[in-house]
Amino acid sequence: MFELKYKTPFIWTEAVLADFDAFLQDHAAAEKKASGMAVTMLSHYPDRKSLVRAMADLAIEELIHLKQVLKIMQAKDIQLANDVKDQYIKEIRSVFRQGKEVFFLDRLLVAAVIEARGHERFALVGEALPAGKEKEFYEAIAKSEEKHKNLFVELSYEYFDKEEVDQRLEEILIAEAAICEKLPFRAALH
Ligand SMILES: [Fe+2]
Ligand SMILES: [Fe+2]
């Protein structure tokens, strides 16, 4: 559907594998926030029928992901970590434009790009892990996040002209690539 403009290098995967416990904690936080984001979206746009339905489904799906990560964490006796600010999310939100309609489009497309980045990086983790339950989990998560990526683009096409969506998506992809390039690698999704 669309391609990210920054390809995550292997040193990111190495940072993740070097402290996988910390990565799991960050992953759990990301799923929790993703579910919360879906609920916020349906609260802000109660008049958008498809969006409300899709966000209700998404909130549940992301919470299921949280539950699955928690299962892996608890088996290893790892606790949820305190919430910390995600610099990537903070910076990508700076692309939001003011104005009811353009703000709505930007929220949808930023969400699509965040899901796409989740898809890319969870797939890298899935590839790198040795055969087993955790590898299978990350492979499944990557597929699920790819569906979410497509969902947000489909919703954008439903509410906006294709040309406007495609042009804005291109701009946001360029901005997201620049953010990824300058952020340090950690044992974290972003
Ligand atoms: Fe998720
Ligand atoms: Fe997702």
Side-chain angles (χ1 to χ4, degrees):
M1 199 163 228
F2 69 84
E3 292 288 325
L4 291 168
K5 293 189 185 290
Y6 172 86
K7 195 173 172 291
T8 297
F10 187 64
I11 47 167
W12 174 82
T13 315
E14 282 180 322
V16 167
L17 296 179
D19 193 352
F20 200 64
D21 291 3
F23 178 73
L24 287 168
Q25 288 178 313
D26 178 77
H27 181 183
E31 299 293 1
K32 195 175 71 175
K33 288 175 196 165
S35 181
M37 185 278 293
V39 173
T40 303
M41 284 296 276
L42 71 80
S43 306
H44 286 185
Y45 304 101
D47 54 329
R48 311 276 186 171
K49 207 172 169 183
S50 313
L51 176 104
V52 168
R53 212 173 35 232
M55 291 303 106
D57 287 344
L58 182 62
I60 293 170
E61 229 176 281
E62 302 290 21
L63 264 192
I64 291 170
H65 292 170
L66 171 64
K67 205 173 142 182
Q68 291 168 332
V69 185
L70 281 174
K71 195 177 167 195
I72 293 174
M73 287 169 70
Q74 293 189 341
K76 296 172 176 247
D77 216 13
I78 304 165
Q79 286 184 12
L80 276 173
N82 292 330
D83 280 333
V84 286
K85 190 180 60 191
D86 185 328
Q87 190 64 21
Y88 167 87
I89 298 292
K90 187 181 168 234
E91 295 203 18
I92 200 168
R93 289 175 66 93
S94 71
V95 307
F96 289 165
R97 294 167 297 176
Q98 286 187 8
K100 197 167 182 282
E101 287 301 296
V102 290
F103 180 58
F104 178 41
L105 176 59
D106 288 354
R107 285 175 95 176
L108 291 172
L109 292 178
V110 162
V113 172
I114 293 171
E115 295 287 357
R117 186 59 67 195
H119 162 62
E120 185 220 27
R121 291 191 170 178
F122 289 137
L124 291 174
V125 174
E127 269 169 43
L129 286 172
K133 279 209 157 57
E134 289 178 12
K135 184 187 187 73
E136 286 167 25
F137 170 65
Y138 276 98
E139 285 169 348
I141 280 279
K143 276 188 200 136
S144 174
E145 306 303 355
E146 186 176 32
K147 273 188 241 149
H148 299 166
K149 157 192 171 183
N150 295 334
L151 167 72
F152 280 106
V153 177
E154 281 157 19
L155 286 168
S156 304
Y157 286 147
E158 181 169 336
Y159 296 121
F160 297 90
D161 286 344
K162 188 176 183 300
E163 212 176 310
E164 186 185 1
V165 171
D166 292 346
Q167 196 200 326
R168 186 58 182 153
L169 179 57
E170 181 72 11
E171 290 166 4
I172 293 174
L173 284 168
I174 291 168
E176 195 262 355
I179 293 165
C180 287
E181 245 161 64
K182 65 170 201 153
L183 287 178
F185 296 122
R186 307 180 297 138
L189 179 55
H190 304 123

